[in-house]
Amino acid sequence: MVGWLWLTMAVLPSASWSATASREVEEKREMQGEVLLPAFPQPDKLIPFVVSAMTDNRFMIDSESLSIGSDGIFRYTLVIVSPSGAQNVSYEAMDCSTAERRIYALGRADKTWSRARSDQWMKIVDNSLNRHHAELYTDYFCPIGISIRNADEVREALRRGGHPSMMRR
């Protein structure tokens, strides 16, 4: 019985802290309000990044749309081009503090935006389907232990093939 009591006492503070932290994150996100959509990406402003040798798709970030808000959240336009030339364009956000991502809008063929029907925050998972999000998270936007100063630092990391602190020697 004493063991259960100690276990309960040990778990309750962390559970309440976790709930408090979750509430703070949600409050921060609710304060964002309506996100303004950027101009549709121009081909000469796209910065390619490598995801994996396992895919023939090309992945690019629009350098003009890349920003870090006062809330610490990255916002960017992602462009994915298949080998056949099909293009997927999305305006997204990434929260390094929670390892989550969100899609605000999807690009249309006429180069306009359509607000996403589901714009919920989702955990970033390192799997083959969404490997590009994991790559952006670990090597460009949220390198472990590194505080990104501004969007220019991320643009430079994209051009170099990864954040300098994460580069293998």
Side-chain angles (χ1 to χ4, degrees), residues 37-98:
L37 300 177
F40 210 78
Q42 298 299 311
D44 63 327
K45 302 297 183 185
L46 298 176
I47 305 172
F49 65 99
V50 176
V51 171
S52 165
M54 303 287 288
T55 179
D56 292 330
N57 289 338
R58 291 183 302 133
F59 299 86
M60 295 161 278
I61 296 292
D62 173 31
S63 64
E64 296 293 305
S65 69
L66 180 62
S67 67
I68 304 172
S70 60
D71 53 8
I73 294 176
F74 287 92
R75 290 178 182 81
Y76 56 94
T77 300
L78 173 67
V79 178
I80 304 171
V81 180
S82 75
S84 67
Q87 206 175 66
N88 287 321
V89 179
S90 54
Y91 185 58
E92 305 185 2
M94 188 172 291
D95 188 340
C96 292
S97 68
T98 61

Side-chain angles (χ1 to χ4, degrees), residues 138-140 143 156-157 159-169:
T138 58
D139 288 351
Y140 300 100
E156 184 60 27
R159 289 183 181 104
R160 296 174 124 208
H163 194 276
S165 65
M166 302 301 288
M167 301 297 282
R168 293 174 185 90
R169 298 192 192 268

Side-chain angles (χ1 to χ4, degrees), residues 10 18 21 25 27 37 53 66 73 80 93 96 103 110 114 116 121 123 129 131-132 134 137 143 147 154 158 160 164:
S18 177
V25 167
E27 287 171 6
L37 300 177
L66 180 62
I73 294 176
I80 304 171
C96 292
I103 298 175
D110 66 356
S114 173
W121 288 94
K123 277 291 185 198
L129 181 60
R131 175 73 189 110
H132 53 282
Y137 178 80
S147 178
V154 176
L158 286 162
R160 296 174 124 208

